[in-house]
């Protein structure tokens, strides 16, 4: 897979130094999702209070795209309202369709824009966002 160098560096940084990896003790919802085509597994823990995503943690295993996307997603949605989080999820879907999208909220997300050229990997990138959607909409 050939991605722009800068983008690849951002992705590898999140893969090697994942943000918000781990679990939390506080009361929270847990969403588990798999991407069988690649073997990615994610368990996302969300603490939502007064309509705000207070905390987001994840564990799991998988390819660099799925794990870096989870790292970026958790970092991007922390402290946001549920509505803002869902708007970001929609924007991320557009990004995966090849639309030009800017994430002024969290620029690192744009590093995954190149994934739309590799349809097999789109499910890797959207796994964490699908988990977020489930957790927030419940
Ligand atoms: Zn994958």
């Amino acid at each position: 897979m050939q991605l722009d160098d800068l983008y690849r560096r951002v992705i590898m940084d999140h893969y090697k130094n994942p943000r918000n990896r781990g679990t939390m003790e506080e009361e929270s919802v847990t969403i588990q999702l798999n991407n069988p085509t690649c073997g990615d597994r994610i368990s996302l823990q969300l603490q939502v209070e007064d309509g705000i995503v207070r905390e987001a943690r994840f564990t799991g295993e998988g390819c660099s795209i799925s794990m870096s996307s989870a790292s970026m997603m958790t970092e991007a949605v922390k402290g946001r309202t549920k509505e803002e989080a869902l708007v970001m999820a929609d924007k991320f879907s557009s990004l995966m369709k090849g639309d030009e999208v800017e994430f002024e909220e969290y620029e690192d997300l744009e590093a995954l824009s190149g994934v739309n050229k590799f349809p097999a990997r789109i499910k890797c990138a959207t796994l964490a966002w699908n988990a977020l959607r489930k957790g927030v909409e419940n």
Side-chain angles (χ1 to χ4, degrees):
M1 191 157 92
Q2 288 295 312
L3 290 175
D4 175 278
D5 259 1
L6 170 67
Y7 284 171
R8 197 169 57 223
R9 274 205 298 275
V10 174
I11 291 167
M12 289 317 287
D13 177 51
H14 277 274
Y15 181 54
K16 289 181 179 157
N17 310 294
R19 312 336 181 233
N20 310 304
R21 191 174 173 94
T23 55
M24 60 180 135
E25 307 269 307
E26 294 85 357
E27 197 176 322
S28 57
V29 287
T30 304
I31 307 97
Q32 286 172 321
L33 280 185
N34 302 325
N35 171 25
T37 45
C38 181
D40 309 313
R41 294 189 301 117
I42 183 179
S43 174
L44 175 69
Q45 243 188 321
L46 289 176
Q47 190 196 6
V48 182
E49 203 181 74
D50 301 328
I52 293 169
V53 182
R54 300 272 182 213
E55 193 57 75
R57 302 269 175 87
F58 78 98
T59 56
E61 56 190 44
C63 66
S64 58
I65 299 297
S66 64
M67 293 295 111
S68 65
S69 181
S71 169
M72 291 178 200
M73 182 280 289
T74 51
E75 196 69 358
V77 301
K78 263 203 299 184
R80 308 271 174 189
T81 65
K82 292 204 289 190
E83 290 74 19
E84 286 169 338
L86 289 172
V87 166
M88 265 194 271
D90 286 343
K91 281 171 75 172
F92 194 80
S93 298
S94 301
L95 189 74
M96 290 300 110
K97 285 183 193 125
D99 295 346
E100 241 174 74
V101 182
E102 279 182 24
F103 286 94
E104 56 281 345
E105 306 95 329
Y106 192 68
E107 286 182 352
D108 284 12
L109 289 167
E110 293 169 22
L112 290 167
S113 60
V115 173
N116 74 70
K117 296 189 210 86
F118 306 90
R121 310 307 295 279
I122 291 176
K123 281 185 182 163
C124 304
T126 53
L127 184 66
W129 288 97
N130 292 340
L132 171 82
R133 247 185 235 283
K134 272 191 144 181
V136 164
E137 282 169 352
N138 282 347

